[in-house]
Amino acid sequence: MKRHTWLLVFLLGINLLSAQECDKTLSGRVIDFHDGAPLEGATITFNNRTIVTDASGRYSITGLCATAYAFTISHEKCNSQVVTLDVGKISSKDFSLEHHLNELEEVKVSGANDTKTTSAQEETIGSDVIEKYGSASLGDALREITGVSSLNTGSTIVKPIIQGLSGSRVLIMNNGVRMQDMEWGDEHAPNVDINTAGNVTVVKGASALQYGGDAIGGVIIMEPRKVPAKDTLFGKTRLSGAVNGRGGSVSSELIKGYKNGWFFKVQGTLKRFGDVEAPDYVLSNTGVFEKGASLSFGVNKFTHGWDAYYSFFDNEIGVLATSHIGNVDDLIDAINEQRPAIIRDFTYEIDNPKQEVTHHLGRLRYFKRFEELGKWNTQYDFQYNKRFEFDIRRTEELTKLPSIDLELKTHTLTSDFSFDSNPDFLWNVGVLFRYQNNFADPSTGVKRLIPDYDKYDAGVFVTGEYSLTNDIIIDAGIRYDYNRMDAKKFYLKSRWEERGYGVDFSDLIIEDFNTQWLTNPVFDYHSISGTTGIQYTFKEDYEFRFNYALAQRAPNPSELFSDGLHHSAARIELGDLRMDQETSHKISVTAQKNTEKWGWEIAPYANFINDYILLEPVDVELSIRGAFPVWEYRQTNVRLLGVDAKLYANWHQNWRTDHSFSMVKGKENEKDAALINIPAPTFNNGVTYSNKNWFGLNVSLESQYFFRQNEYPSNISVFSPQQNEDVLLEVNTPPDAYHLLNADTSMEFSLGERNKLKVGLTINNILNTSYRNYLNRQRYFADDLGRNFLLRLSINY
């Protein structure tokens, strides 16, 4: 009986299927998601049937049953889609495909280069360079880029200089967030871990308006490794050790991706070094202890996505012991002599003077794509920066207290919309709102260098890019920024009158405290920035770019309010309430040729800056803490003229040479006097042998020649109590030229089907040359680093 029942059910099913009418039709178009352009040759696959779209992107499928089908829509260079439709309920459907795969990576393609701008000078370093400098700093790695140097305080505090400009004129974008970490100090290094970056791009100048209009020097853009939208788990661990400093670092990253767009990423770094050494002696109290970690997660789909990011960075840095001087004659001897006054045995201990800096960064970001229109991004980020600077003070109890205790909190909200539906005309509009609060703790017992303040910023920008022909692209943009600085600051009445503030700023006084005035300076600044340029590609291998950029920068808190001893800088700094905005007019030109065999690039530029703010030594002042140079801010009109040049040649499949040269001249317009801290010309040459068949062997030898900076400001005269007369203090005289040789080698070994081990060895200053760099602020007291061997291991898994 059971067998007969199943037979009856089977026969009834056949009759029902036979009775079903499969006469439905589904039609429509396959189009580009961005601009609605028809996609010819797109395929629609289902049930072993394939339909191909015509020249107008249209398709028609007949003979369908009134049921649900899973259609796979595909096209060359597009992400395929799988869509389930009930043909019994729908007869027409248009499918949209993403025809620009790079949009998911937020990379604009221009020729063979990934660029952030069309016409500006820029350059990118990738993961290989970042891995090489994993135990160093961002500033060290960026010196691999032509035209980028650094302002150092020893070997551990490294501030990037782009074509002669640094500090507040250089913006650092860390994973989409503009860093707010008291960048105004010469000895305030960026609070970033270079190991978090997948690549770093330097835009030379203020052409990248979406990041800020005050980037007179340029923009440094740190971007993380991309997470593919697929089921995957991968990571990397980097270990390094160095002989000079007898320390090392470990950094590890783990990434998990899912096909549905979800991703998770965790990363951490630990770095520890003791005193580093010059060729002939230990540089006492120059150790560093750095800790960093980051976590991110979110969803990255094509049509929408969001992510959350948090990073923690903590750094304890020793300041060269001999840089703190007790009296005027000791200062004269230290600067005019060639050997440190304090040389101790090697140690890992970090004593006063030192810095302790902690930085927290949190970010929430959301994006959504709109069909045939563009993409909307919005982001909120919060940063908390805590800075302690410890000095050698009169008692043990006071020594435990920081001399400077600053707390900086920053809230930022940004939003922009990229209109990219027309491939020939791309444009972007955006807004920014920011609130910042600085608190200088008075419990240090030391006069506060920077006051409490509230800062308010708002900005709006529009940028566009138009493809005039296949070979010519023009771009332009404009930006407006509003800045308000509202501070509460105490001034000694003697300093107030000495600076002439009694006449110009008497209305700022809000309370009388015997020997001090409490003031409330409130300043408003309105800034306009703009850019325009052209990119012309010809004969396939040649490219020409021209760019003009206008940029305005409001003075930073240090330039306005500095008033006292900057302990870790070992100098007295004096700001000026009269400071106005800087205005920069920069013209840059780039011509280049790139082929497989050889290539070159030459990039001259001219930057004319009105009301340029500079900090220079003017005197020496003796306080209860000792004798310190007095550095004072002032404004003047200047010009910076320079050129960056590169050349490479692949002489053989295994042999390559690289050559680069950079030079910048900085002068005041009226006096034709040289500017302080302008990089000397540099000339680098390298030869590389590589052989992929020998475990990816790569061996290179690099020659670096640093010219003497022959153009520098005049030195100052100070009174010597010991000699009872004025003597020349050669605080501005540059050191001699010098030449360094460096070597690097690496090999890669397979540890299984998917895992790899990369081993590298770097030798810096092979000849153990004694030298002093003009842009190292501790050149007054000691030589720079001696020979150093660095071993690094990198494991991919």
Side-chain angles (χ1 to χ4, degrees):
M1 181 65 184
K2 191 173 185 179
R3 183 183 304 168
H4 291 93
T5 301
W6 278 111
L7 180 61
L8 179 61
V9 170
F10 176 72
L11 292 174
L12 287 173
I14 292 178
N15 289 333
L16 286 172
L17 289 173
S18 300
Q20 184 176 8
E21 296 182 359
C22 293
D23 57 356
K24 300 294 183 181
T25 299
L26 180 68
S27 61
R29 296 196 308 157
V30 179
I31 59 177
D32 188 309
F33 181 92
H34 284 276
D35 54 17
L39 296 180
E40 180 182 5
T43 60
I44 304 173
T45 305
F46 69 102
N47 292 359
N48 295 323
R49 290 180 61 185
T50 298
I51 306 298
V52 181
T53 59
D54 60 18
S56 62
R58 296 189 177 277
Y59 72 92
S60 180
I61 308 174
T62 59
L64 297 174
C65 302
T67 187
Y69 291 87
F71 299 98
T72 301
I73 305 94
S74 305
H75 189 265
E76 184 183 11
K77 297 182 181 180
C78 292
N79 282 328
S80 299
Q81 288 186 23
V82 178
V83 180
T84 301
L85 297 175
D86 189 342
V87 179
K89 299 178 180 178
I90 188 172
S91 60
S92 178
K93 176 64 177 178
D94 290 344
F95 300 108
S96 297
L97 292 183
E98 165 50 31
H99 197 56
H100 304 271
L101 292 181
N102 284 332
E103 289 294 326
L104 285 174
E105 306 294 332
E106 290 306 306
V107 173
K108 187 184 69 166
V109 177
S110 176
N113 301 316
D114 296 337
T115 59
K116 305 301 176 188
T117 64
T118 298
S119 59
Q121 298 173 351
E122 63 177 86
E123 191 172 338
T124 299
I125 58 173
S127 58
D128 287 346
V129 175
I130 292 172
E131 188 172 296
K132 178 181 175 182
Y133 289 92
S135 63
S137 69
L138 173 66
D140 292 316
L142 291 180
R143 288 198 296 262
E144 293 273 342
I145 294 178
T146 309
V148 178
S149 49
S150 63
L151 180 64
N152 286 35
T153 302
S155 62
T156 54
I157 302 175
V158 186
K159 293 179 68 69
I161 299 178
I162 302 176
Q163 294 182 337
L165 298 173
S166 64
S168 296
R169 302 179 185 96
V170 173
L171 311 187
I172 297 179
M173 302 296 300
N174 180 12
N175 204 346
V177 177
R178 174 172 172 170
M179 294 298 294
Q180 303 287 335
D181 52 2
M182 306 176 193
E183 79 287 342
W184 37 261
D186 282 350
E187 81 303 342
H188 295 183
N191 292 314
V192 296
D193 177 8
I194 190 174
N195 294 288
T196 63
N199 63 76
V200 183
T201 298
V202 172
V203 179
K204 303 173 183 177
S207 299
L209 292 182
Q210 65 268 37
Y211 302 114
D214 54 346
I216 292 177
V219 184
I220 299 168
I221 305 166
M222 300 176 60
E223 296 179 304
R225 296 175 67 183
K226 304 297 181 181
V227 183
K230 62 180 182 180
D231 292 328
T232 183
L233 176 66
F234 61 97
K236 176 180 287 189
T237 296
R238 302 166 179 166
L239 300 100
S240 65
V243 172
N244 200 333
R246 308 181 198 181
S249 68
V250 57
S251 179
S252 192
E253 179 182 55
L254 186 64
I255 299 171
K256 173 62 178 173
Y258 295 90
K259 188 176 182 180
N260 60 8
W262 276 90
F263 70 89
F264 299 88
K265 184 190 300 185
V266 62
Q267 183 271 341
T269 298
L270 184 65
K271 184 188 302 182
R272 182 73 159 125
F273 286 93
D275 294 335
V276 293
E277 299 178 41
D280 300 319
Y281 45 78
V282 173
L283 299 170
S284 297
N285 200 49
T286 54
V288 61
F289 186 24
E290 178 183 310
K291 302 175 285 293
S294 64
L295 171 69
S296 63
F297 61 91
V299 177
N300 184 21
K301 295 186 177 182
F302 171 65
T303 55
H304 67 279
W306 64 269
D307 68 88
Y309 174 77
Y310 167 76
S311 70
F312 166 79
F313 183 85
D314 181 84
N315 207 359
E316 184 180 8
I317 308 170
V319 178
L320 183 68
T322 194
S323 64
H324 281 232
I325 306 299
N327 59 66
V328 174
D329 286 298
D330 285 347
L331 177 61
I332 294 170
D333 291 340
I335 291 180
N336 294 339
E337 296 294 332
Q338 291 296 306
R339 190 172 179 85
I342 300 174
I343 301 176
R344 308 185 187 117
D345 292 336
F346 172 88
T347 179
Y348 288 99
E349 292 183 10
I350 301 175
D351 297 321
N352 296 0
K354 66 178 181 179
Q355 299 179 10
E356 291 183 8
V357 186
T358 303
H359 192 87
H360 299 266
L361 185 155
R363 188 205 66 203
L364 293 172
R365 180 171 56 187
Y366 174 80
F367 76 86
K368 182 174 177 58
R369 299 179 188 272
F370 295 87
E371 191 170 346
E372 299 183 41
L373 188 62
K375 178 183 176 183
W376 173 54
N377 297 276
T378 191
Q379 174 177 298
Y380 164 78
D381 60 78
F382 170 75
Q383 296 179 69
Y384 175 82
N385 196 82
K386 186 71 172 177
R387 167 172 285 271
F388 296 117
E389 297 185 6
F390 293 85
D391 194 11
I392 302 172
R393 304 177 70 175
R394 289 169 291 167
T395 68
E396 186 175 344
E397 288 302 316
L398 286 176
T399 299
K400 295 177 181 178
L401 291 176
S403 298
I404 290 181
D405 182 346
L406 297 176
E407 181 181 272
L408 188 69
K409 297 178 181 178
T410 308
H411 302 263
T412 305
L413 179 65
T414 59
S415 186
D416 68 88
F417 199 101
S418 300
F419 296 86
D420 57 6
S421 60
N422 185 344
D424 294 328
F425 180 43
L426 309 176
W427 59 293
N428 190 22
V429 298
V431 295
L432 170 145
F433 302 97
R434 177 180 294 121
Y435 167 70
Q436 185 175 88
N437 171 261
N438 181 74
F439 172 68
D441 194 334
S443 65
T444 60
V446 176
K447 183 181 177 183
R448 291 181 285 182
L449 177 69
I450 301 295
D452 298 344
Y453 67 79
D454 292 310
K455 188 169 181 286
Y456 306 87
D457 302 319
V460 59
F461 72 88
V462 180
T463 62
E465 178 184 303
Y466 178 65
S467 298
L468 193 63
T469 68
N470 289 335
D471 300 324
I472 300 176
I473 302 174
I474 57 176
D475 66 348
I478 189 168
R479 181 180 179 115
Y480 165 77
D481 286 285
Y482 167 74
N483 313 103
R484 162 166 281 211
M485 182 78 70
D486 186 346
K488 294 285 180 65
K489 177 169 177 58
F490 285 94
Y491 279 95
L492 288 172
K493 291 182 179 180
S494 57
R495 183 79 79 184
W496 182 264
E497 295 303 324
E498 173 191 305
R499 307 292 292 171
Y501 293 160
V503 176
D504 298 332
F505 301 107
S506 59
D507 58 322
L508 301 184
I509 299 173
I510 58 176
E511 198 167 346
D512 186 343
F513 285 83
N514 297 321
T515 61
Q516 298 186 89
W517 296 117
L518 176 59
T519 65
N520 180 207
V522 180
F523 300 118
D524 294 320
Y525 302 95
H526 302 271
S527 303
I528 296 292
S529 304
T531 182
T532 186
I534 185 171
Q535 178 192 99
Y536 175 43
T537 305
F538 56 102
K539 294 183 179 179
E540 295 186 358
D541 301 325
Y542 291 87
E543 186 173 279
F544 172 83
R545 295 194 298 274
F546 168 85
N547 180 266
Y548 163 75
L550 163 69
Q552 288 190 308
R553 181 185 73 88
N556 64 41
S558 180
E559 294 161 342
L560 288 168
F561 305 124
S562 287
D563 179 27
L565 179 59
H566 196 167
H567 293 265
S568 64
R571 67 191 182 195
I572 294 169
E573 296 178 2
L574 299 177
D576 196 328
L577 296 177
R578 301 178 183 87
M579 290 296 172
D580 203 352
Q581 295 157 286
E582 291 181 338
T583 302
S584 164
H585 300 270
K586 183 176 183 181
I587 297 172
S588 64
V589 176
T590 305
Q592 66 180 40
K593 173 185 174 67
N594 288 304
T595 67
E596 185 177 343
K597 287 291 185 182
W598 71 290
W600 53 264
E601 178 181 298
I602 184 167
Y605 58 89
N607 199 350
F608 302 92
I609 307 175
N610 296 329
D611 296 317
Y612 177 81
I613 302 173
L614 58 86
L615 178 64
E616 61 186 0
V618 295
D619 202 353
V620 170
E621 191 172 296
L622 183 63
S623 71
I624 59 174
R625 283 297 313 115
F628 295 95
V630 177
W631 289 60
E632 189 172 328
Y633 287 98
R634 69 177 176 94
Q635 287 192 288
T636 184
N637 297 333
V638 306
R639 64 185 183 274
L640 288 93
L641 309 177
V643 63
D644 299 333
K646 296 189 300 182
L647 172 69
Y648 70 86
N650 291 306
W651 301 96
H652 182 267
Q653 64 179 356
N654 302 119
W655 292 95
R656 173 188 172 106
T657 59
D658 290 273
H659 317 271
S660 66
F661 174 79
S662 64
M663 178 181 68
V664 56
K665 300 284 188 178
K667 294 287 188 71
E668 293 188 53
N669 291 342
E670 292 185 9
K671 300 188 298 183
D672 201 41
L675 296 178
I676 194 170
N677 288 337
I678 296 298
T682 59
F683 186 32
N684 294 346
N685 296 280
V687 57
T688 302
Y689 174 81
S690 58
N691 192 324
K692 294 182 180 180
N693 296 325
W694 293 358
F695 301 100
L697 175 66
N698 194 83
V699 180
S700 64
L701 179 66
E702 180 187 36
S703 164
Q704 295 180 310
Y705 188 82
F706 294 81
F707 291 79
R708 184 178 188 270
Q709 177 55 277
N710 293 321
E711 298 179 352
Y712 56 93
S714 301
N715 289 302
I716 61 176
S717 294
V718 300
F719 180 76
S720 166
Q722 182 176 315
Q723 302 179 44
N724 197 31
E725 63 180 357
D726 287 339
V727 299
L728 186 67
L729 186 66
E730 297 199 46
V731 69
N732 286 326
T733 301
D736 293 333
Y738 60 94
H739 177 235
L740 301 179
L741 286 177
N742 308 311
D744 184 80
T745 183
S746 64
M747 299 181 76
E748 193 172 75
F749 304 92
S750 177
L751 297 180
E753 190 174 327
R754 301 178 59 183
N755 303 338
K756 292 182 179 180
L757 169 66
K758 188 174 183 180
V759 181
L761 176 66
T762 299
I763 309 174
N764 291 326
N765 193 2
I766 294 174
L767 302 180
N768 206 27
T769 301
S770 295
Y771 69 96
R772 299 193 181 195
N773 189 301
Y774 174 61
L775 294 176
N776 191 330
R777 295 179 55 256
Q778 292 180 352
R779 65 181 170 83
Y780 304 126
F781 312 107
D783 290 338
D784 224 305
L785 293 186
R787 184 187 296 115
N788 193 13
F789 292 84
L790 299 98
L791 177 66
R792 61 185 185 274
L793 304 175
S794 175
I795 305 173
N796 291 329
Y797 44 85

